Each structure stands twice: as C-alpha cells, then as structure tokens.
Amino acid sequence: MPVFVDNASSSRDLRVLPSLAPPLPCFSEVPSPNPVNGATQVERYDVVVVGAGPSGLFLTLLLARYGLRDDRLLCIDSKPGTLKSGQADGLQPRTLEVLHSLGLAEEVLKQGCQMWEVAFWNPTISGGIERTSYVPDVAVPAMFPHEVTIHQGRIERILSDDLSRYSERGVKYSSRVSSIKIDEDGDSQYPVVVEYETIDAEQKGDSPAASARSKHFIRAKHVVGADGAHSVVRRSMGLDLVGESKDLIWGVVDLVVDTDFPDIRRRCAIHSNAGSVMVIPREQIATGDFLTRLYVQVGIEVPADEISGGDVADPTTMSSEARQKAKERRSKITMEGILKQAQTVLQPYQIKLKTNCNVDWWAAYQIGQRMTENFAQKDCMGIPRVFISGDACHTHSPKAGQGMNVSMMDSYNLSWKLVYHLNGLVPISSQRAGASVDLLNSYEFERREIARELIEFDTKFSSMFSGSIGKEDDDKGLTHEQFVEVFSTGNGFTSGCGIEYSESDSIWKEARTERNPVHGTDYLGGNLRPGRRLLSARVIRHVDGNPRELQDDFSSNGRFKILVLTSIDLVKPEGRSSKALQAVAGIIDQYPPGIIELVVLHALEDTRNILWKDLPSEIKHHAEMRFHSAWPVEAPTGKFQTRNHMYKGEDAYGIYGVNRNEGAACIVRPDGYVSMIASLDSVENIEKYFRQWLRPRQAP
C-alpha cells in the first residue's frame, strides 16, 4: 500500500541485529589495564584463562557475556585451534539446560544423537550374548530427558562462535604457558605473573623455527587453569592429582560400522565371557553416515609396580626407563586389536569398519580416578588468585559420560562469582568480613564436593563395568541386577540434575529460615530445596497465553532471580500475596536495576477476565512478561485433544511441593541453584540474604 509518512527512530537499526547479553553492573573503578599510550610494558588483565577446551572456553564465554571485554579478559591455549577429533562426546541433561539458557542448544539438539534408552547385554550359557533389558538413559525429570552425543570440537566451535560476538580477539591459540607465580611485591593489584610462549601465525607447523617463538609476561588479578590433566597451572600451584589407577586398559574408537548388532544406535552396556564393550551412538557426519564410539576392554594388564598413586604421569617429566615401559605397553595396543576384541565380545553378531570408510579416531587409556585437594591458591591476604577447573583438578574414566559436563559446570559455578567480585557487586563491608572473598572461596567448597562424588561414583561404576556378569548364586561374578541398580541410582548424579550443594553462607537450608513452606522431600522430582537446581515446569504466560518452560525465565545472564509462588488470595489487596509482592519489590528497588529479576506464578483456576488493576501493581512493574499460570489449565489454543500435551500447563505448585493456599518464595542464584526458601509471611529473610551478598545501588 502507499506510504504517506515514514518516520523511524535512530535505534531502529538495532532491531535487525542479533541481541547481546547485557553486561552486569559494575561498581568498581575499572581503568583499562592495558593503556594504549604504552605507559606499561606488561599487559594486565582481570582474568586470564589457560586452556580453551570445553571448561576454559565456556568460562571465557560466560565472563565475556557478563561484561568482561578484551582489555580485562584473555584466554590462551597451546593448540592451534579447536579440537578436530576424539575426546569427549556426551552432553548430560543439566548441561543441555544450561546451554539452552544461553541460546546455544539448538544445533546440539538438532544435529547431535539423542540417547533415550540403554540396552543391557549379558553372556549366555552357550557363550554368546543376549539382551537382558532396556532402561531409560535418563530416569529423572528434566527439560531434556536424554543425553546427546556430538563431537567435542563441535561444542568448542559453537562456544567459540558465540564468543566472537563479545570478543574481537577470541582465544589466543598457539600460546603455551610455561610458568605461573604469585608476585605481590611487583604489583599487588595484579599479583599473578604468567609466562607464556607463542608461535607466529605464518610459522605455525609441526616443526616451527626457534626464531618463530616469542615469550610474553603478563599480570592478572586471577588466573584459571583449565589446561587438562597435565595442567601447568596446577603444577605451578604445587598441587598433585592424587588417586589410583587400575591394572586394566581400555581402547576407544570412533568409526562408521557395518554390523548386524540390533542395538548399535542405542547406548549399550555389553558384558560377555570374553570381556566388556560399551556402545555409544554418535552424530551423523558429512558423508551421511553415522558414527559409533566403542569402548572396548582389551586384554592387557599394567604391572602393579608401574601404577602410580601420585600425579598424572607427564611424558616430559618421566624418567627414560618409565617412558620406554610406557612406549612398549602402548605398542601392544593397536586399532586392529581393539576392533578384533570388539568382534569377539559381540559374537554371534558381526561388526567391522564400513567399506570405503576410515577410522575417525582411536586411543587407549588406563582406568583411574584422581583429584586435587585444593582448587584454588590464595595470596597473603587470603584472596583466591589462581583457580583450577575441569581435568586440571579431577580425572576419571570416560564411560559415565561426565568429563566435559562436570568441567563445564565447574566454569558455570565460578564465572558469576568472579565477575561479582571484580565488579564490586558484593558488599565491601558487612557483618562478616570479606563477603566478596567468601563468594570466591565457595567455588572450591562447592565443586570439590562434587568432584569427590564423581570420583566415588566412577570408581564403582568403572570397576563394575570391567567385571564379569555372573548368576545370582555365583560369588565370583556381578549380577545383572546389581549393575543396573548402580546405573539407575547414580542417574541423578550423572544427569547433573541431582547435584546438591551443601549448607553454606550462600546456600541457606531450613535452619536459616523460620519455617519451610515446602511440603515433601522428593527433591529429585522437583520439590524446592536450597542447593539444588530449579526444575523446569510448563506454565502458561498470563499476558499472551504462551505455553512455555519456566526455565526460560531463568536465563544465564548473571542475575539473581526471585521466584514467588503466590497463594490463592492474589487478588485480595490485603492478602499475604499482595503484601509479600510489595515487600519483594521494595527489596529489588534497593539494588542496581536489573540485577534481581522477579518471576511470579499463580494458582488461580481462571484469570482470563482479571485485569491488571485487579492484581498487585508490582507484578506488571517487575514481572509483566514473567507472570504465569502454574495450574494445569488449557491455553486458549489448546482445546484440541491432539494438542493437549503441548498446550497444557503443569501443576508447578505440586512439582515444587508448595501448597497453593500458602504460597512460597525462593531466591535462585545466577547459576540456577536455589539459594534459600521463605514463606510469604517471612520475605524479610530474602532481604537478609541480599544484604549479605549484594551491594545496594549508589545514591544519585
């Protein structure tokens, strides 16, 4: 149609650009650590991340999204680029939830391989194998009740692509750290000295000339070592990965298979009289074929005197005799031998490399579980300056699918705490001295316990998987029922959905509050519990009837959230819900705009005819697009029976264990974990919590 008048504001161009995560507020004075006038010879950064695997790259991305730009943040890695083959391949439900909260899950979900079932195969009397049972791969409630397998390099590429939206530099590859030390006398504000070596871009190759290498010295307020099991950062801290290794070797191979084994596209745990195999279906590749990963128990044992209980062996520090023994042992393991053993275990079925295809990757490893006692090193003032995460502080076997997931969740836990500390968002003074330092200390306190649980589970699971399956009356063997029980009971931990942080200054359990408004103890099923992640529920948004996942309102933007489950007296001006919302709004207004977000649920059976004037004004002011029906009712578009599943809300009150006649409120941390719970009559406890952990807005 003809246009007579065309006016547009200058901000209209922004509508066609991809949206960026808003940076967190900053109370600290942040002069550029690296003046452009050349006044300093040593580069200075708030945070230096060493290692750009899943843990380091994820941490760098989160810090950048929270507001640390290139002049405050540096990530270096010895590799020439993102991973091309091998290593981790599995993402657990909790990791998928976190990626979804960042808007990064779509490619993973669409192009990865979703694993919904596990098939258990055990030996027969005749010497072959038979399927014993199917069980769900994920047996706990989750937004994504399945695992996804996809190449680790693809995960790194997804993270790297998103990082490029916030960082012009991205990761500084081909940069190898040689030493790290804390030198407070040289610069107390940037006390960590990092020495690293880079290779000039045009000289990169297998044998770069000595002249192509250049050394650099930089200083940082904090350094995070995400540089793997042979971590230079950890060694510089004087820490060892302590644990034990078993005398069994496993092979792992990624390939396109030609097989008549019926469950090749399911995750399988296979025990036979000849050994054990785990089948992991993988994603489709460019040729149109589908990859399969096989973990194969090979018949090579490591003598006990070669098994070290100390730190992970570093080839550069091993004696010549130890290196020779390791070389001889590795030479006995071949790709052909791994495939031959897999064929033996799977008899009477056939399995081989598909014609005209190449093995994508293979390796061998010795089962072991190790972790460090400390995850951080402090300066003389007690401030944690150097952290380690991922494989740098805990290693284990890969069969439980935990490595990449636990490592990324280390970073998820640490990232917001670092930025809150650096940006001065934690009170400078409080009833307890050093609240900001306490927040940094909570990283080690929380994640070290998770690492211990990981080691305990993996030790049990890998030992049982390497054992033989016998009959119930066979004292030497392991029964199928015992193995399935360990797999199923560990599902809460392995999925990441059953993780619970212990009581601390940032996790207030029942003892910190006057009355617990949560009825029930089905915490894995969703009952609210401080220290556990908030389970998603399907709700119906009030303003537009949009059926949505509640977790979509809990994006990973570095903000605290207050979730208020109002009672049935919501429309009464003097009711407990109205008074609680007024108090909560008053708390939110005390702090920097946007640092606390409000999400409100109601359990009224019919709100279609309720106007804004009938509701507490705080809802429209603070939560207009985050106000939902949490009662199992139909959305306006959900009248057709075939659409009921998609458009019907859930009873979130029942899921969370809250009586709709009473209501409740809770604080959810920036990493999605419930911090504390309060009744609607005691929201002053919410104010006490924030008074301890958040700095009020500055007076104009």
Side-chain angles (χ1 to χ4, degrees):
M1 65 179 181
V3 176
F4 296 99
V5 179
D6 186 8
N7 276 320
S9 66
S10 59
S11 63
R12 187 176 184 182
D13 291 343
L14 298 177
R15 299 180 189 174
V16 300
L17 299 176
S19 58
L20 296 175
L24 286 167
C26 184
F27 281 154
S28 300
E29 184 178 349
V30 187
S32 175
N34 303 303
V36 295
N37 59 9
T40 178
Q41 297 298 317
V42 179
E43 294 181 7
R44 288 169 169 79
Y45 297 93
D46 283 1
V47 181
V48 172
V49 180
V50 181
S55 180
L57 193 53
F58 193 48
L59 176 63
T60 303
L61 172 60
L62 290 168
L63 294 175
R65 290 176 69 116
Y66 295 161
L68 297 193
R69 298 300 180 241
D70 285 350
D71 60 344
R72 301 178 65 190
L73 173 64
L74 174 67
C75 178
I76 56 180
D77 190 276
S78 60
K79 301 191 305 290
T82 55
L83 193 71
K84 301 302 179 185
S85 63
Q87 296 192 23
D89 64 352
L91 293 173
Q92 297 287 347
R94 177 56 184 158
T95 308
L96 293 172
E97 289 177 355
V98 172
L99 290 175
H100 175 76
S101 73
L102 291 160
L104 301 177
E106 183 175 5
E107 179 179 339
V108 173
L109 293 169
K110 285 186 176 181
Q111 301 192 25
C113 174
Q114 297 186 12
M115 296 194 300
W116 288 79
E117 286 186 328
V118 181
F120 290 88
W121 289 74
N122 293 308
T124 63
I125 298 176
S126 61
I129 56 173
E130 63 180 357
R131 185 193 300 117
T132 311
S133 64
Y134 288 123
V135 300
D137 186 68
V138 175
V140 299
M143 182 186 291
F144 306 102
H146 55 79
E147 290 184 67
V148 171
T149 55
I150 192 169
H151 194 292
Q152 176 180 321
R154 196 153 183 179
I155 299 298
E156 292 180 8
R157 195 263 303 155
I158 292 171
L159 299 177
S160 184
D161 285 351
D162 197 58
L163 177 62
S164 66
R165 301 169 60 217
Y166 300 89
S167 167
E168 293 184 9
R169 183 199 304 115
V171 176
K172 193 172 184 179
Y173 287 107
S174 300
S175 302
R176 185 183 303 276
V177 171
S178 54
S179 69
I180 290 176
K181 66 178 181 180
I182 296 178
D183 174 29
E184 297 169 79
D185 295 334
D187 188 335
S188 60
Q189 189 177 6
Y190 296 87
V192 188
V193 180
V194 181
E195 179 184 355
Y196 70 98
E197 184 181 68
T198 61
I199 302 174
D200 293 342
E202 64 274 8
Q203 297 291 338
K204 291 178 185 175
D206 294 332
S207 301
S211 58
R213 299 177 180 271
S214 57
K215 288 188 176 182
H216 304 267
F217 292 89
I218 57 177
R219 281 185 172 271
K221 291 181 178 179
H222 303 279
V223 169
V224 182
D227 48 340
H230 300 305
S231 170
V232 174
V233 177
R234 185 190 68 246
R235 294 177 188 276
S236 297
M237 295 167 60
L239 296 175
D240 290 337
L241 279 172
V242 179
E244 61 179 12
S245 297
K246 302 296 188 296
D247 58 351
L248 295 173
I249 299 293
W250 282 72
V252 54
V253 57
D254 291 340
L255 74 166
V256 177
V257 298
D258 181 359
T259 182
D260 60 350
F261 180 65
D263 286 331
I264 197 65
R265 294 308 299 172
R266 288 182 175 91
R267 182 182 179 185
C268 295
I270 305 170
H271 286 89
S272 81
N273 293 327
S276 302
V277 168
M278 176 175 280
V279 176
I280 303 293
R282 290 280 303 274
E283 72 276 11
Q284 188 176 28
I285 57 178
T287 62
D289 295 305
F290 289 85
L291 280 178
T292 298
R293 172 167 289 189
L294 301 176
Y295 288 103
V296 183
Q297 182 181 357
V298 298
I300 297 177
E301 295 188 356
V302 183
D305 59 359
E306 293 185 29
I307 301 173
S308 168
D311 198 13
V312 171
D314 185 346
T316 63
T317 61
M318 294 169 63
S319 67
S320 58
E321 180 181 1
R323 282 198 299 271
Q324 181 61 30
K325 285 185 177 181
K327 182 177 180 180
E328 292 174 359
R329 189 166 65 247
R330 288 196 302 271
S331 67
K332 299 177 183 178
I333 305 172
T334 64
M335 183 256 300
E336 293 77 13
I338 294 173
L339 292 178
K340 183 178 179 180
Q341 176 64 12
Q343 173 64 78
T344 301
V345 171
L346 264 67
Q347 288 181 353
Y349 301 100
Q350 302 295 315
I351 186 169
K352 62 181 179 179
L353 177 66
K354 185 178 179 181
T355 304
N356 297 324
C357 291
N358 297 319
V359 169
D360 191 67
W361 173 78
W362 74 276
Y365 65 92
Q366 182 179 358
I367 292 177
Q369 295 84 21
R370 304 169 188 264
M371 65 173 286
T372 61
E373 181 59 30
N374 300 107
F375 288 13
Q377 187 176 49
K378 302 176 182 180
D379 63 14
C380 66
M381 300 296 292
I383 301 174
R385 292 295 186 180
V386 183
F387 302 88
I388 51 175
S389 68
D391 287 352
C393 50
H394 45 72
T395 62
H396 47 89
S397 77
K399 288 188 289 298
Q402 293 300 290
M404 180 162 55
N405 297 273
V406 177
S407 296
M408 291 174 69
M409 293 305 99
D410 285 347
S411 298
Y412 195 48
N413 181 285
L414 178 60
S415 58
W416 69 274
K417 297 174 181 179
L418 269 174
V419 177
Y420 271 61
H421 170 75
L422 291 166
N423 284 10
L425 293 173
V426 184
I428 297 175
S429 61
S430 66
Q431 293 179 349
R432 298 172 309 98
S436 187
V437 174
D438 288 346
L439 188 62
L440 293 181
N441 285 334
S442 69
Y443 164 71
E444 179 179 89
F445 174 76
E446 293 178 344
R447 296 308 296 176
R448 183 174 56 192
E449 182 59 30
I450 300 305
R452 285 200 180 103
E453 293 180 27
L454 169 63
I455 296 301
E456 290 174 3
F457 173 81
D458 187 67
T459 300
K460 188 173 185 179
F461 182 74
S462 60
S463 296
M464 295 182 78
F465 199 95
S466 299
S468 60
I469 296 289
K471 302 299 182 182
E472 291 187 7
D473 57 354
D474 184 358
D475 295 335
K476 297 181 180 179
L478 173 73
T479 68
H480 167 70
E481 291 74 17
Q482 289 173 324
F483 184 72
V484 173
E485 181 182 5
V486 170
F487 178 86
S488 300
T489 56
N491 207 243
F493 180 83
T494 57
S495 66
C497 299
I499 296 297
E500 180 175 336
Y501 294 135
S502 300
E503 165 84 18
S504 68
D505 288 328
S506 63
I507 299 292
W508 291 12
K509 304 283 187 178
E510 289 83 358
R512 298 287 193 98
T513 57
E514 297 176 2
R515 185 173 63 86
N516 184 8
V518 176
H519 307 280
T521 57
D522 184 13
Y523 304 128
L524 199 56
N527 287 178
L528 295 177
R529 170 78 168 167
R532 286 183 176 259
R533 111 323 187 166
L534 179 73
L535 175 65
S536 188
R538 180 168 289 275
V539 295
I540 307 297
R541 189 159 60 190
H542 175 75
V543 295
D544 56 4
N546 184 349
R548 53 194 284 109
E549 292 289 337
L550 183 61
Q551 273 191 6
D552 289 341
D553 285 339
F554 292 79
S555 60
S556 297
N557 58 7
R559 273 70 178 172
F560 279 91
K561 279 84 173 175
I562 300 177
L563 172 63
V564 177
L565 294 92
T566 59
S567 62
I568 57 175
D569 66 353
L570 177 60
V571 295
K572 297 180 179 179
E574 298 301 320
R576 67 168 62 182
S577 296
S578 182
K579 291 180 179 179
L581 287 167
Q582 290 175 24
V584 167
I587 295 169
I588 293 174
D589 291 339
Q590 295 177 37
Y591 297 95
I595 197 66
I596 303 173
E597 296 178 349
L598 177 62
V599 182
V600 181
L601 302 183
H602 74 81
L604 303 178
E605 296 188 25
D606 185 10
T607 57
R608 302 269 173 80
N609 298 318
I610 294 179
L611 305 178
W612 283 117
K613 67 180 181 61
D614 302 320
L615 298 168
S617 60
E618 292 78 15
I619 295 178
K620 191 174 192 307
H621 181 66
H622 288 286
E624 180 176 2
M625 300 299 288
R626 296 188 294 270
F627 175 48
H628 310 289
S629 169
W631 190 246
V633 296
E634 302 289 336
T637 51
K639 295 297 184 183
F640 300 102
Q641 185 176 359
T642 57
R643 306 180 75 178
N644 276 352
H645 176 71
M646 181 176 294
Y647 287 98
K648 191 172 184 178
E650 293 182 293
D651 179 11
Y653 282 70
I655 292 172
Y656 296 144
V658 176
N659 188 320
R660 71 189 190 113
N661 293 314
E662 300 174 2
C666 69
I667 298 174
V668 180
R669 298 193 322 190
D671 57 357
Y673 285 81
V674 177
S675 301
M676 60 87 67
I677 302 171
S679 67
L680 294 185
D681 297 323
S682 60
V683 292
E684 65 273 8
N685 287 315
I686 294 177
E687 185 173 9
K688 291 178 183 177
Y689 183 92
F690 283 124
R691 194 181 303 136
Q692 176 177 317
W693 292 112
L694 271 185
R695 187 174 172 183
R697 69 164 75 195
Q698 296 172 326

